Amino acid sequence: MISSVTNAGRQRWNTFVGALDAPILIDFLRRLIKGTQKKVFLIMDDMHVQDEPTVKQWLAEHADDIQAFDLQDDQPESAP
């Protein structure tokens, strides 16, 4: 399962079978920005799939709509 929550508490989620891969993540991101009026700021918790070239390309192509930030392993003080 992959999920998100807005600063207003709205939740979005997607369930899938198997491991999270680039096509599943891109589909989720596409749904996440659909119908939004403002830019989405997304914090991703070290999923590794975000480093895939297709994901990076998709994010670059949609930079006006979404900006992703990585919560890295080397920043444990940032993790909840």
Side-chain angles (χ1 to χ4, degrees):
M1 181 174 85
I2 185 170
S3 64
S4 68
V5 61
T6 69
N7 58 348
R10 184 173 179 202
Q11 299 176 3
R12 291 193 180 182
W13 51 272
N14 186 21
T15 58
F16 52 90
V17 176
L20 177 63
D21 59 12
I24 293 171
L25 179 58
I26 290 171
D27 179 60
F28 181 76
L29 297 176
R30 185 178 295 115
R31 292 177 186 202
L32 196 60
I33 64 172
K34 184 179 181 181
T36 59
Q37 301 295 324
K38 296 181 180 179
K39 188 172 188 172
V40 172
F41 295 93
L42 178 68
I43 300 170
M44 294 191 284
D45 189 9
D46 194 35
M47 298 184 299
H48 299 290
V49 69
Q50 71 233 32
D51 296 326
E52 291 288 326
T54 54
V55 173
K56 288 185 177 208
Q57 179 182 353
W58 189 92
L59 287 169
E61 291 171 357
H62 295 86
D64 291 340
D65 300 316
I66 188 168
Q67 183 174 355
F69 301 90
D70 296 334
L71 188 61
Q72 299 294 330
D73 284 336
D74 61 346
Q75 299 172 340
E77 69 279 356
S78 301

